[in-house]
Amino acid sequence: MKDDTKTPWIIGITASAGGLEAITALVHALPRQTGASYVIAQHMLPSHKSLMFVLVARETELPVEELGADTLPAPDTIYVTPPNRDVIYHQGMLRLSEPAGRAGSPKPSADRLFYSLADE
């Protein structure tokens, strides 16, 4: 387990619109203390009212937060990306940004999240 005073490992979890069952099964099986932060980005319609936060929170004892403004990731915490936003990891912060790509492209973008994690 990593030292809590340092930046935690950031684990990106993405899924297509039909991936809710897989995500809930995954978070249900997560250990309570790994020292990692988990970022969930599931593709959904921009106008869709997401229940991801509620559904994930029911399946785990870990704290679950919906990403808002810039967020300093905390260990052993799950972060859920809101609809119609991309999430990137930059300079130690989880940051929401306007969606990239064409109007019909999946949002949030798994590629942007994974590339930002790799870059950092």
Side-chain angles (χ1 to χ4, degrees), residues 22 28 45 73 82 101:
H28 181 76
L45 294 172

Side-chain angles (χ1 to χ4, degrees), residues 45-93:
L45 294 172
S47 60
H48 183 71
K49 171 68 175 140
S50 176
L51 297 176
M52 177 63 72
F53 173 83
V54 173
L55 297 172
V56 168
R58 282 196 319 211
E59 295 297 325
T60 183
E61 293 181 28
L62 294 170
V64 179
E65 296 182 19
E66 186 171 57
L67 284 169
D70 292 352
T71 302
L72 181 64
D76 302 310
T77 302
I78 299 171
Y79 297 96
V80 177
T81 307
N84 205 29
R85 302 293 291 199
D86 283 350
V87 59
I88 60 169
Y89 183 62
H90 183 68
Q91 297 179 338
M93 302 286 282

Side-chain angles (χ1 to χ4, degrees), residues 2 6 10 12 15-17 36 42 52-53 59 79 86 91 96 112:
K2 292 186 80 170
K6 297 180 180 178
I10 310 296
S16 64
Q42 182 189 21
M52 177 63 72
F53 173 83
E59 295 297 325
Y79 297 96
D86 283 350
Q91 297 179 338
L96 293 177
R112 284 188 79 190

Side-chain angles (χ1 to χ4, degrees), residues 4-28:
D4 288 344
T5 61
K6 297 180 180 178
T7 303
W9 289 97
I10 310 296
I11 299 172
I13 302 165
T14 64
S16 64
L20 178 59
E21 186 176 339
I23 288 174
T24 56
L26 174 69
V27 300
H28 181 76

